[in-house]
Amino acid sequence: MPAPIRLRELIRTIRTARTQAEERAIIQKECALIRSAFREEDSTFRCRNVAKLLYMHMLGYPAHFGQLECLKLIASQRFTDKRIGYLGAMLLLDERQDVHLLMTNCIKNDLNHNTQYVQGLALCTLGSMGSAEMCRDLAGEVERLLKSSNSYIRKKAALCAVHIIRKVPELMEMFLPATRNLLGEKNHGVLHTAAVLITDMCERSPDTLSHFRKLVPQLVRILKNLIMSGYSPEHDVSGISDPFLQVRILRLLRILGKNDDEASEAMNDILAQVATNTETSKNVGNAILYETVLTIMDIKSESGLRVLAVNILGRFLLNNDKNIRYVALTSLLKTVQTDHNAVQRHRSTIVDCLKDADVSIKRRAMELSFALVNASNVRGMMKELLHFLDSCEVEFKSDCASGIFLAAEKYAPTKRWHIDTMMRVLTTAGSYVRDETVPNLILLITNTSQLHCYTVQRLFKAIQEDISQRQAEQDVSEAEEPAQRREHDSIKQPLVQVSAWCVGEYGDLLLSGSCDEDEPLQVTEEEVLDVLESMLQSNMSSSITRGYALTALMKLSTRFGSTVDRIKRVVSIYGSSIDVELQQRAVEYNALFKKFDHMRPALLERMPIMEKSSSNGLTEVAETNGEAEPIERAPVAAPTPSTNEVSDLLDLLGGNEDAPSQPRGPSAPAGDLLTLLDGLDIQAPVLGTASTPQPQTFLLDSLASIPSDAFNNAHPAIPPIVAYEKGGLRIDFSFERSNTNPNVTVITLHASNSTDADVSDFVFQAAVPKTFQLQLLSPSSNMVPAKNSGGISQVIKVLNPQKQQLRMRLRLTYTHRGTSMQEIGEVNNFPPQSWQ
Amino acid sequence: MGWTIMRFMLLFSRQGKLRLQKWSVALSEKDRRKVVKELVSLTRHILSCKVLPWQTLILNYLYASLYFCCAVESPDNELLTLEIIHRYVELLDKYFGSVCELDIIFNFEKAYFILDEFLLGGEVQETSKKDVLKAIEESDLLQEVSG
């Protein structure tokens, strides 16, 4: 049989193939020849054949039939055979296959070979792919070699040990003694591999870590020598001596210095030296500086050193190489919390990175920018970030918008700025804003009562513009490809929803037009309704958006004067909407118009200040609530009880045992309220006053613009009662049970005045026994006109979890015929259906 | 754990042909081929050195039209890995004398041998250029002598 062709010749032949098929043919032919050669146990050319097989394997062809041949080569005495054999083993065998275990004996023998290069092959193979079993079998040999005086062997043994410990962690112990001595070597290879081994051991075992901590001075010395020593050509890289070793030592120092003052102290100087003296013009210098920075940040370094580290990172940001910029931003992000001030100094560079071409850099820069926002830089930073939001890639917009909202919430310098910023985000990135932000925005707007007018006007304007823009785009998109059309169709649902809500709440302010704005809007009721209707009708509006729009319309029925009929019409149309949610709302609103018209004003009145029951635990301090009208109309009476002195009835944590609220009217001393409750057999007063203390979420649920809760079609109607009647003043209670919460009763009181003089400054207060909870919503007014020509309505919500019999004490204060009056009454005649 | 091992190093041509593969993690043949395929398609058209977010990958573009592709554990020092690649290129250059892709093709086993004197289990074993090249020279000599 002719000698098999040489490797190079085969390679040449394969490369002449012009098609995949040709190549395959050549290879199949050769493989067949090789197979028969293997079968014949040819040892002369085994090496050549395996080498060819390895080449073909690299091209993607199967070569498993060569595995055993590799083992035979390893067992051969010829160095050439061993070289190829071990290479083949590393390429063709993996530890999952039992066949590799057959190597164990060969490796063992070769580890003890008298030629260091054979030993080297064995160590290399074991250290690259040895299975746990092999490692267990051969650990002893490797440990012995770790103590060799031959540095060529020693360094390989060290890395082999690293692999063994990774595979069989329990074996670490046996390597400890030999490891200790490794750092005494001069040979850089040994020092480097020793550092790797020690690092690995320390990461695995805290005990070992403390043990090796005493090496710190020695490591510091080695590092110092490296830096101070003169030029050594064999280790030099661009003027720096052995950067690989420097980095490895720095890394080991990091682990040893972490959480240890003494060790950190000992390495302080050398770190400063490396940080200041390393050349930064080439990548190699930056690699060392980077590692130095990581070490400084992780150990207990003094602040000067930390500032130095941050400054290095700041310089990295200006580097042309984007890898270095990226690496710097990542590190800065990790340290921004702990070294906030130092990082702040590089803020403008970081902000510049927002304009980088590379996407991963932009993302890092964005995250870092948000971390740097504080009260003093918020205006400038927000400007940059809003600009970024305008122009950034789509994948960032949601996160950026959310980040802006969070930052604005924490650091807004003024309410007006806050609202302006929110609106800017809504209008520019509205379709990427997360759904959760809508309630948060609404909360913000509600609680900023002084800006209601401003907010609603701006939102209305934005919405009008959005509609006309979408109309224009729709005309354009009709002529476009569907793919492009999708782009245009992205309606800004959050913007629309927030606007709808505001228009509904503050529509009256829209009409009145007066707020200290440059150009207050001149808007008619019809125009407002046009906008809301278009929201309802647009097929790009989501179901939720439509819900918002419908409810907004409904609210306007109490705020607008001349268009109630139009509203009724629109609402009734949706009573047969396919959308079930919408249909239900419409039906209930219709019912509101028809059967419960007297309740409509109370139900649809202004939202109170809401508490934010958010996951991050932020609670808004209750400002004086948005009861603009009643308070303004009341002449200078005593301060409203709606301030924070009201005992927080609804505080789930057990209630405020503080002094009860100051009653309106100067005549009632504080203690009086307590006496109000004498006889009701309760311990501590639970007061409800005509204000809006922080409402609980349970009530808020039923408060949320779904009045359907107030309606109780399932239960039979509960008879109303006369709660109080004296001297011409009469208070009626009518009842509804909540659909969603069977423990909640909604009482609507109606006060009327049959005398011939008006009753003014009317305030209703109530107290219930302790097991109940009470919430009084704002009254429709505090004037009860004479001769039953009108009245006050007010909604009381009662929570009665223990289903006890409802009792109530009332206190009424008012002015009648110029006299301040105060009356007390008790209500005991609640119908059973109202509390059972 | 923050083990800073290089998971693998691949060399492939601009056409995506694999020229060298060094693995320091245990993966089956099938998985290896999958990884290679993925990376080849991911990195082929990138002309400059880049850190890619695929388990932190570093890529270098050799003047002799070979891609050097390394995967490192993420807390590693990417900048240093670049230096490792540079060093390997230098070694190949010194050994072959102005190395080009053909050298690697026709002498792939030598490329492996050189790598095995420089790295072991994904870590640098020898930081002296001189010592690595000396070891290779002497091994080559031994090969000739022993037949």
Side-chain angles (χ1 to χ4, degrees):
Chain A
M1 188 173 176
I5 62 170
R6 293 179 181 277
L7 170 66
R8 272 164 202 89
E9 210 184 305
L10 176 65
I11 295 175
R12 221 170 281 131
T13 313
I14 291 173
R15 286 171 65 79
T16 61
R18 274 161 304 178
T19 66
Q20 186 74 25
E22 252 186 79
E23 183 183 276
R24 221 176 305 134
I26 297 170
I27 288 181
Q28 272 170 358
K29 186 157 150 237
E30 186 58 36
C31 277
L33 288 171
I34 292 177
R35 273 185 144 111
S36 27
F38 286 165
R39 269 197 300 272
E40 286 166 27
E41 296 283 351
D42 176 316
S43 62
T44 325
F45 296 110
R46 184 178 284 136
C47 178
R48 185 185 291 184
N49 283 331
V50 170
K52 285 187 287 187
L53 198 57
L54 292 180
Y55 181 79
M56 293 187 282
H57 173 257
M58 193 149 56
L59 293 178
Y61 295 91
H64 46 272
F65 56 91
Q67 286 169 358
L68 279 172
E69 301 302 311
C70 293
L71 296 176
K72 292 177 197 166
L73 284 174
I74 290 171
S76 156
Q77 285 313 304
R78 277 165 53 194
F79 183 66
T80 316
D81 284 354
K82 285 189 190 286
R83 246 184 159 187
I84 296 292
Y86 276 116
L87 179 61
M90 285 194 275
L91 288 175
L92 299 182
L93 295 174
D94 72 75
E95 57 177 80
R96 295 131 194 272
Q97 297 156 340
D98 289 335
V99 111
H100 85 285
L101 285 172
L102 296 170
M103 275 197 293
T104 314
N105 222 38
C106 281
I107 293 182
K108 187 167 188 179
N109 291 335
D110 284 343
L111 284 175
N112 294 314
H113 206 275
N114 46 25
T115 308
Q116 69 177 19
Y117 296 113
V118 173
Q119 287 175 298
L121 288 175
L123 281 167
C124 182
T125 307
L126 181 59
S128 310
M129 59 165 298
S131 65
E133 261 188 80
M134 271 172 77
C135 288
R136 253 186 274 261
D137 284 343
L138 300 169
E141 303 297 324
V142 175
E143 196 267 339
R144 204 172 43 78
L145 292 174
L146 200 53
K147 298 185 280 210
S148 164
S149 53
N150 182 343
S151 45
Y152 179 81
I153 295 298
R154 233 176 161 189
K155 72 190 185 197
K156 289 183 194 266
L159 289 181
C160 198
V162 171
H163 177 85
I164 291 174
I165 296 172
R166 277 193 194 136
K167 284 292 185 194
V168 192
E170 308 89 75
L171 291 174
M172 185 173 87
E173 288 288 324
M174 68 186 279
F175 290 105
L176 281 174
T179 308
R180 267 177 232 137
N181 297 322
L182 287 173
L183 286 181
E185 275 256 13
K186 287 260 184 286
N187 180 288
H188 283 217
V190 176
L191 287 173
H192 186 277
T193 57
V196 174
L197 179 57
I198 296 173
T199 306
D200 197 73
M201 288 172 160
C202 290
E203 277 173 339
R204 286 175 189 282
S205 154
D207 287 335
T208 317
L209 178 72
S210 0
H211 170 76
F212 278 129
R213 213 172 252 132
K214 55 167 161 301
L215 293 175
V216 169
Q218 194 174 3
L219 289 165
V220 168
R221 249 192 333 265
I222 296 172
L223 189 53
K224 196 156 189 174
N225 285 338
L226 275 177
I227 299 171
M228 309 294 256
S229 67
Y231 174 74
S232 147
E234 67 181 283
H235 295 121
D236 180 87
V237 180
S238 304
I240 294 180
S241 186
D242 207 338
F244 304 105
L245 184 55
Q246 286 196 37
V247 165
R248 265 301 174 183
I249 293 181
L250 286 165
R251 200 172 291 173
L252 180 52
L253 286 175
R254 174 151 88 242
I255 296 172
L256 296 174
K258 195 168 185 166
N259 291 327
D260 191 280
D261 289 319
E262 206 186 313
S264 303
E265 167 81 39
M267 52 182 84
N268 199 74
D269 286 346
I270 191 65
L271 289 174
Q273 206 176 346
V274 175
T276 40
N277 291 340
T278 308
E279 269 282 321
T280 65
S281 53
K282 294 248 172 79
N283 180 69
V284 59
N286 289 326
I288 294 177
L289 283 174
Y290 180 46
E291 197 72 36
T292 313
V293 164
L294 291 177
T295 300
I296 292 175
M297 290 310 180
D298 247 18
I299 64 172
K300 302 196 134 196
S301 42
E302 45 172 63
S303 63
L305 202 54
R306 296 184 81 87
V307 170
L308 191 59
V310 171
N311 289 343
I312 290 175
L313 292 176
R315 269 206 311 276
F316 274 6
L317 284 180
L318 301 166
N319 196 298
N320 285 331
D321 186 334
K322 66 161 126 24
N323 292 323
I324 293 179
R325 291 203 301 276
Y326 180 79
V327 140
L329 284 170
T330 309
S331 306
L332 283 169
L333 199 54
K334 288 197 205 122
T335 70
V336 71
Q337 303 302 334
T338 44
D339 297 282
H340 192 89
N341 291 333
V343 180
Q344 278 284 0
R345 261 177 248 141
H346 301 275
R347 195 176 67 242
S348 51
T349 322
I350 292 168
V351 166
D352 280 340
C353 289
L354 286 172
K355 303 176 191 117
D356 200 291
D358 185 284
V359 164
S360 359
I361 288 185
K362 268 199 264 208
R363 176 163 279 283
R364 282 280 183 260
M366 179 182 84
E367 289 166 1
L368 197 48
S369 299
F370 279 124
L372 287 176
V373 177
N374 62 26
S376 49
N377 63 31
V378 64
R379 280 185 197 268
M381 287 297 274
M382 279 300 122
K383 214 157 128 202
E384 296 284 350
L385 287 162
L386 283 168
H387 185 72
F388 177 69
L389 182 64
D390 286 339
S391 54
C392 69
E393 283 82 344
V394 167
E395 65 220 63
F396 292 138
K397 288 206 196 255
S398 279
D399 289 334
C400 190
S402 301
I404 292 178
F405 286 147
L406 268 167
E409 204 175 293
K410 275 201 259 189
Y411 301 113
T414 65
K415 289 275 181 208
R416 163 117 168 217
W417 180 94
H418 196 176
I419 288 185
D420 281 342
T421 306
M422 302 294 217
M423 294 213 277
R424 168 84 187 274
V425 175
L426 279 180
T427 48
T428 56
S431 35
Y432 303 102
V433 164
R434 298 207 164 92
D435 291 336
E436 312 86 75
T437 50
V438 170
N440 288 339
L441 288 179
I442 290 179
L443 186 70
L444 168 71
I445 293 171
T446 313
N447 294 350
T448 316
S449 37
Q450 66 272 31
L451 289 174
H452 284 166
C453 187
Y454 170 74
T455 310
V456 70
Q457 294 212 354
R458 285 210 54 193
L459 279 171
F460 187 74
K461 206 153 144 209
I463 250 324
Q464 274 186 319
E465 279 167 12
D466 188 60
I467 288 177
S468 55
Q469 183 187 31
R470 266 190 292 117
Q471 190 53 50
E473 282 172 355
Q474 204 163 3
D475 298 335
V476 171
S477 79
E478 239 118 62
E480 276 179 350
E481 299 292 329
Q484 282 169 304
R485 198 177 301 181
R486 230 176 296 126
E487 269 269 330
H488 289 147
D489 281 357
S490 59
I491 182 179
K492 299 174 182 137
Q493 304 282 358
L495 172 66
V496 175
Q497 286 167 12
V498 174
S499 305
W501 191 92
C502 282
V503 166
E505 274 293 301
Y506 312 118
D508 46 326
L509 299 176
L510 254 186
L511 299 178
S512 66
S514 64
C515 63
D516 20 77
E517 255 319 274
D518 327 320
E519 347 145 347
L521 282 184
Q522 304 298 341
V523 149
T524 65
E525 290 186 15
E526 297 287 341
E527 282 172 330
V528 176
L529 295 183
D530 284 342
V531 165
L532 285 176
E533 271 194 70
S534 77
M535 279 184 205
L536 272 170
Q537 288 158 5
S538 166
N539 39 14
M540 296 193 281
S541 293
S542 72
S543 178
I544 295 177
T545 307
R546 291 214 185 96
Y548 272 94
L550 189 64
T551 305
L553 263 177
M554 199 53 201
K555 288 184 195 170
L556 290 178
S557 73
T558 59
R559 289 152 175 72
F560 281 1
S562 54
T563 44
V564 182
D565 287 335
R566 179 175 168 184
I567 294 175
K568 273 197 210 176
R569 248 195 338 265
V570 175
V571 169
S572 64
I573 291 174
Y574 283 88
S576 43
S577 160
I578 297 177
D579 183 321
V580 173
E581 171 74 30
L582 219 51
Q583 189 192 108
Q584 178 171 4
R585 284 174 192 243
V587 162
E588 285 161 356
Y589 292 157
N590 268 330
L592 194 53
F593 274 125
K594 296 199 167 61
K595 290 196 290 175
F596 299 96
D597 207 41
H598 60 281
M599 296 180 78
R600 197 163 41 93
L603 277 165
L604 298 173
E605 59 191 18
R606 280 269 198 282
M607 284 293 193
I609 302 284
M610 297 183 238
E611 170 179 313
K612 186 173 182 178
S613 58
S614 61
S615 51
N616 58 11
L618 275 177
T619 31
E620 303 264 306
V621 173
E623 310 171 354
T624 44
N625 56 35
E627 292 179 83
E629 289 124 41
I631 293 177
E632 279 160 14
R633 272 191 243 127
V636 187
T640 68
S642 59
T643 50
N644 322 344
E645 293 162 350
V646 172
S647 54
D648 191 358
L649 310 168
L650 308 163
D651 188 341
L652 276 170
L653 299 173
N656 209 331
E657 309 287 81
D658 293 345
S661 68
Q662 298 305 316
R664 245 188 208 160
S667 55
D672 222 29
L673 281 171
L674 286 168
T675 59
L676 176 72
L677 299 156
D678 286 349
L680 265 183
D681 296 321
I682 50 176
Q683 258 72 44
V686 177
L687 299 167
T689 56
S691 69
T692 54
Q694 296 152 342
Q696 250 176 282
T697 29
F698 85 96
L699 286 177
L700 204 57
D701 290 343
S702 42
L703 235 193
S705 46
I706 307 172
S708 53
D709 274 345
F711 295 101
N712 193 348
N713 300 325
H715 300 217
I718 306 169
I721 57 168
V722 179
Y724 172 93
E725 186 163 31
K726 186 174 165 192
L729 186 60
R730 174 173 150 157
I731 298 188
D732 298 286
F733 280 174
S734 52
F735 303 96
E736 296 289 340
R737 295 301 290 267
S738 163
N739 250 340
T740 52
N741 187 339
N743 298 326
V744 170
T745 307
V746 179
I747 304 174
T748 307
L749 75 83
H750 189 76
S752 55
N753 170 13
S754 60
T755 70
D756 55 0
D758 292 344
V759 162
S760 54
D761 310 322
F762 180 83
V763 174
F764 174 90
Q765 288 171 302
V768 285
K770 194 169 187 207
T771 58
F772 296 85
Q773 286 183 21
L774 198 67
Q775 182 191 14
L776 279 167
L777 306 192
S778 340
S780 57
S781 79
N782 57 6
M783 207 262 284
V784 195
K787 301 206 183 40
N788 291 325
S789 55
I792 293 177
S793 340
Q794 189 166 11
V795 170
I796 309 168
K797 291 194 182 188
V798 182
L799 177 68
N800 182 10
Q802 294 181 25
K803 299 258 190 239
Q804 303 225 342
Q805 177 171 22
L806 183 53
R807 294 154 68 195
M808 194 185 278
R809 254 204 194 152
L810 317 174
R811 178 154 80 187
L812 314 171
T813 57
Y814 56 91
T815 308
H816 190 226
R817 296 195 175 104
T819 326
S820 297
M821 308 284 289
Q822 183 194 296
E823 300 292 331
I824 292 180
E826 201 172 325
V827 187
N828 289 316
N829 53 340
F830 286 100
Q833 306 98 306
S834 68
W835 50 266
Q836 271 173 348
Chain B
M1 291 192 89
W3 305 332
T4 54
I5 57 163
M6 184 186 295
R7 288 193 188 178
F8 57 79
M9 183 191 281
L10 306 174
L11 265 74
F12 47 87
S13 71
R14 289 187 68 182
Q15 289 75 39
K17 276 222 143 81
L18 191 66
R19 298 299 176 208
L20 186 145
Q21 51 175 331
K22 192 72 188 168
W23 299 84
S24 42
V25 286
L27 275 184
S28 69
E29 176 82 25
K30 188 167 136 219
D31 288 337
R32 288 184 190 184
R33 293 214 192 273
K34 198 162 138 230
V35 167
V36 171
K37 194 159 159 218
E38 228 175 280
L39 286 173
V40 165
S41 63
L42 196 69
T43 58
R44 277 255 306 275
H45 305 289
I46 299 171
L47 289 173
S48 63
C49 180
K50 194 162 159 46
V51 180
L52 297 170
W54 186 97
Q55 300 171 32
T56 314
L57 192 126
I58 298 186
L59 188 84
N60 191 20
Y61 176 43
L62 177 64
Y63 74 103
S65 75
L66 269 179
Y67 281 105
F68 287 69
C69 193
C70 291
V72 290
E73 300 282 346
S74 78
D76 204 350
N77 184 333
E78 299 100 322
L79 304 178
L80 190 76
T81 312
L82 228 67
E83 289 303 316
I84 292 177
I85 296 175
H86 286 153
R87 173 58 64 89
Y88 183 46
V89 170
E90 267 182 318
L91 291 168
L92 289 171
D93 212 42
K94 225 30 198 293
Y95 183 80
F96 289 109
S98 281
V99 66
C100 64
E101 191 186 344
L102 278 178
D103 291 321
I104 311 286
I105 293 170
F106 281 96
N107 300 283
F108 72 94
E109 80 277 16
K110 293 287 183 359
Y112 275 107
F113 296 152
I114 294 171
L115 190 61
D116 284 342
E117 288 298 327
F118 175 45
L119 303 177
L120 204 166
E123 300 278 1
V124 170
Q125 66 175 278
E126 180 54 66
T127 60
S128 157
K129 274 178 278 193
K130 192 177 92 184
D131 285 356
V132 172
L133 291 168
K134 180 162 142 234
I136 292 292
E137 260 174 54
E138 294 188 0
S139 299
D140 285 350
L141 210 61
L142 193 59
Q143 193 172 319
E144 268 171 51
V145 164
S146 75

